[in-house]
Every structure is written in C-alpha cells, then in structure tokens.
C-alpha cells in the first residue's frame, strides 16, 4: 500500500490521510483565488468602462451633428445643442482627469494619493453630470426633428 493511504481492516476500503486532504484543500483554495484575480477584474472593468465612455461620446457627437444639420427649425434646437455640448465637455474633462490620475504615484506618496482621490471623485462627478444632461436631452427627443407645421410647410397639422 502507498504511504498516503490508510487501509482499515474492517471493510478493506482505502481512506486518504489527513495530510493528503489538507494538500488538496490548499490546492483548491489557490485555484479559486487564481480565478478571482482582483487585478484582472479591475482591468476588465476599466476597459469596459472606457468602451462605454467612448460609445457615449460617439453618440453625443452624432446627435450634435444631427441637430446642427436640422438647424433652428428643430423645436428644442438651442436646448439640445447646449445639453449635448455640456455633456461632451464634461466627458472630455473626465477623460483628461483620468489621464492625469494615471501619472500620480499613489503607492508611495500620500499627498499624491489625496490628489488622485480628489481627481477621481471629480471625474465621477463630471460623468454623472454628463449622464444627467443626456437623460434630460433624451426626454426632449430627436424625433420628430421638426414640428408638424414646419414638416408640412405650415399647410396642415394633420399626421399623414
């Protein structure tokens, strides 16, 4: 018989030793910890957040282009241009703050850690402001872009 297995005389069944069970449990724990790597999770989360930020910025640029093409005929032209512009400026500012934060040494310098925290919270506030502008903007909608009177050439208010 091997050294890692004990045999009982009653039922001739091999039972593992306690040291073997402990080694298996330790290996299982390390395998679980490998699956829950915090650095990998944080990296994936940051990449996903960056993609969403780029999608929002692209959407805002597209909507701004559309509203500017329609021009002042749009019922909420001024409001939409202002909200979209504020949202784009806030998103760009938050991106700049994120880049500045990446240059700080937060591990060895407490002053830079405080600055990084402040920049991070400012960035989150700016992104919250951008989302708030987008929510308000979407309540006014982009379709129909023209009022019924402008669409039908001031002839009728009927919907065809």
């Amino acid at each position: 018989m091997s050294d890692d297995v004990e045999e009982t005389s009653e039922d001739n069944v091999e039972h593992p030793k306690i040291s073997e069970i402990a080694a298996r449990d330790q290996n299982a724990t390390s395998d679980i910890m490998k699956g829950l790597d915090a650095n990998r999770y944080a990296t994936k989360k940051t990449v996903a957040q960056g993609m969403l930020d780029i999608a929002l910025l692209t959407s805002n640029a597209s909507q701004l282009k559309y509203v500017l093409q329609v021009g002042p005929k749009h019922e909420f032209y001024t409001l939409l241009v202002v909200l979209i512009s504020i949202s784009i400026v806030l998103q760009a500012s938050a991106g700049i703050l994120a880049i500045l934060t990446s240059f700080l040494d937060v591990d060895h310098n407490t002053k830079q850690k405080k600055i990084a925290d402040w920049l991070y919270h400012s960035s989150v506030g700016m992104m919250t402001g951008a989302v708030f502008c987008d929510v308000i903007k979407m309540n006014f909608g982009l379709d129909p872009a023209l009022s019924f009177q402008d669409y039908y050439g001031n002839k009728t208010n009927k919907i065809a």
Side-chain angles (χ1 to χ4, degrees), residues 2 9 38 52 63 71 77 87 89 94 116 118 152:
S2 69
S9 59
L52 287 172
Q63 290 170 356
Y77 174 77
S87 180
V89 167
W118 185 84
Y152 291 108

Side-chain angles (χ1 to χ4, degrees), residues 39-50:
N39 256 349
R40 187 172 176 203
Y41 170 76
T43 302
K44 284 184 175 183
K45 181 181 171 190
T46 302
V47 169
Q49 184 179 2

Side-chain angles (χ1 to χ4, degrees), residues 102-113:
S102 69
F103 291 120
L104 297 176
D105 181 21
V106 295
D107 294 330
H108 300 94
N109 190 333
T110 57
K111 184 177 180 180
Q112 287 189 5
K113 170 100 170 100

